Amino acid sequence: MPFLNLSHVTTYTYRHPVSFGEHRVMVRPRESFDQHLLDAALLISPEPSEVRWLQDVFGNSVAIATFDRRAKELVFDSRVRVLHTPAELQEVHIEEYARSYPFTYSSEEMPDLLRSIERQHHDPQRQIDGWARRFVNAQGPTDTLGMLADMTAAIRREFTYVPRPEKGTQSPIETLSRMKGTCRDYAMFMIEAVRALGFAARFVSGYVYSPTVGEHRTGGGNTHAWVRVYLPGSGWVEFDPTNGIVGNTGLIRVAIARDIYQAVPISGTWAGFPGSFLDMTVSVDARIDAATITDGSDSAGPVLTTPDAFVSGQRRTG
């Protein structure tokens, strides 16, 4: 159970002083049985006139900051300490009726899962359906967890990871046709693929870290994105197609949503002279306490942290 220290700093710079509209900040990790928030601080400069917290429709913690002064720089500095309890693939338990695909969610769960089963992107030629169906055994029952794990591994193996600093996300069809993308592209593609098979799936943004010395987790700069699929018996299970991970090992959840645009880490507006905006920089650092680092030989060492960029909304965000 590693203790993880996270620092996430986003800085916007301007040529001239500008005024700031309301900003919505979603960088606080979620509380759950597998990740416990021990300490959290959100420092904002210039100091907002007001900061209020709320929980959105998905239970994500959101800070709403308003400002009454102009400045040439705006900084959001999130610092948290988390106790993380990783769960491996073998810890995923599925109800007997759902261990083989196809199956139907229970009548008690289906009403609450329907919106997470609905497709969000057009696929008129059923290309994503065709890609997803290749993992289904046409000769008989298909092992549910094995199928989802194979799909996760196939995206990692067959697609080319290409960091992209520009804001926005490829459509799932674009990701399939190009066979490349970022973690957010992979996540949205896999969500549509499993929904094509009738599974409930959600988008997750957060952080990825390397739990053991020498292990490399694919990323490239800021926050990371992956998928949750609902499996009766275990509930929402993590699948990270960027790194081929099944389970929550090395993954810290911050926001969960049906679609990527509901999980933007930072969004807001500014007003000033045209051309005032200069740059945006993001720095994310995830470090395990030295005493909790493992490498299989009981020796401690540095941890490689390689989270990925997540970009959307009015601002390119960390």
Side-chain angles (χ1 to χ4, degrees):
M1 295 189 295
F3 289 91
L4 193 69
N5 298 304
L6 287 162
S7 170
H8 180 174
V9 182
T10 303
T11 303
Y12 303 96
T13 55
Y14 304 85
R15 192 182 312 276
H16 309 288
V18 299
S19 59
F20 304 106
E22 182 178 274
H23 277 66
R24 184 181 179 92
V25 186
M26 203 180 325
V27 294
R28 182 186 176 97
R30 293 174 63 104
E31 287 276 4
S32 186
F33 64 90
D34 59 347
Q35 59 180 52
H36 303 282
L37 195 57
L38 304 178
D39 193 20
L42 176 61
L43 309 176
I44 304 175
S45 177
E47 184 177 352
S49 57
E50 180 185 25
V51 176
R52 62 185 179 88
W53 287 87
L54 59 85
Q55 281 191 312
D56 68 8
V57 68
F58 300 104
N60 302 312
S61 294
V62 183
I64 307 296
T66 54
F67 302 85
D68 59 4
R69 68 181 71 178
R70 300 166 68 87
K72 296 175 66 174
E73 183 179 78
L74 177 61
V75 181
F76 297 91
D77 183 354
S78 172
R79 304 175 188 178
V80 300
R81 182 173 171 81
V82 180
L83 173 61
H84 193 219
T85 307
E88 302 292 343
L89 176 61
Q90 59 267 25
E91 297 179 47
V92 178
H93 301 284
I94 303 178
E95 295 284 354
E96 183 67 34
Y97 77 90
R99 290 178 184 173
S100 293
Y101 178 85
F103 69 90
T104 302
Y105 290 119
S106 71
S107 58
E108 292 82 6
E109 295 174 326
M110 183 62 84
D112 297 305
L113 295 175
L114 279 174
R115 294 306 307 275
S116 296
I117 299 173
E118 291 178 0
R119 303 283 291 274
Q120 302 291 314
H121 300 268
H122 294 297
D123 182 17
Q125 311 260 330
R126 299 291 183 182
Q127 298 175 64
I128 296 174
D129 297 59
W131 186 89
R133 285 286 168 188
R134 59 183 272 205
F135 299 94
V136 179
N137 181 8
Q139 307 304 318
T142 302
D143 180 75
T144 299
L145 184 58
M147 177 181 66
L148 294 172
D150 288 346
M151 187 180 294
T152 304
I155 296 173
R156 172 180 166 82
R157 181 179 63 251
E158 299 172 6
F159 290 61
T160 301
Y161 178 83
V162 180
R164 189 178 66 251
E166 297 84 3
K167 76 177 183 178
T169 304
Q170 294 176 171
S171 71
I173 291 294
E174 289 175 317
T175 301
L176 180 59
S177 62
R178 296 173 182 175
M179 296 296 286
K180 63 181 181 181
T182 65
C183 69
R184 59 190 186 273
D185 300 323
Y186 287 1
M188 289 309 303
F189 172 73
M190 183 170 176
I191 286 172
E192 286 298 293
V194 299
R195 284 175 176 168
L197 298 178
F199 289 95
R202 289 180 174 176
F203 178 87
V204 189
S205 73
Y207 307 105
V208 59
Y209 70 92
S210 299
T212 58
V213 174
E215 181 182 0
H216 177 72
R217 293 288 171 91
T218 300
N222 308 319
T223 62
H224 191 55
W226 62 95
V227 181
R228 299 188 102 192
V229 179
Y230 190 83
L231 297 176
S234 278
W236 295 101
V237 178
E238 324 282 324
F239 294 87
D240 178 6
T242 303
N243 291 291
I245 300 171
V246 178
N248 71 338
T249 300
L251 300 173
I252 300 293
R253 295 182 300 277
V254 170
I256 297 170
R258 280 187 299 106
D259 193 86
I260 187 173
Y261 299 107
Q262 298 169 307
V264 180
I266 301 176
S267 61
T269 60
W270 63 273
F273 292 110
S276 292
F277 178 75
L278 290 176
D279 194 18
M280 185 278 303
T281 61
V282 177
S283 172
V284 173
D285 185 44
R287 297 181 182 273
I288 300 176
D289 283 357
T292 66
I293 298 175
T294 63
D295 63 358
S297 61
D298 297 325
S299 62
V303 176
L304 300 177
T305 56
T306 55
D308 184 83
F310 173 73
V311 187
S312 187
Q314 291 174 290
R315 288 198 184 278
R316 186 160 63 99
T317 71

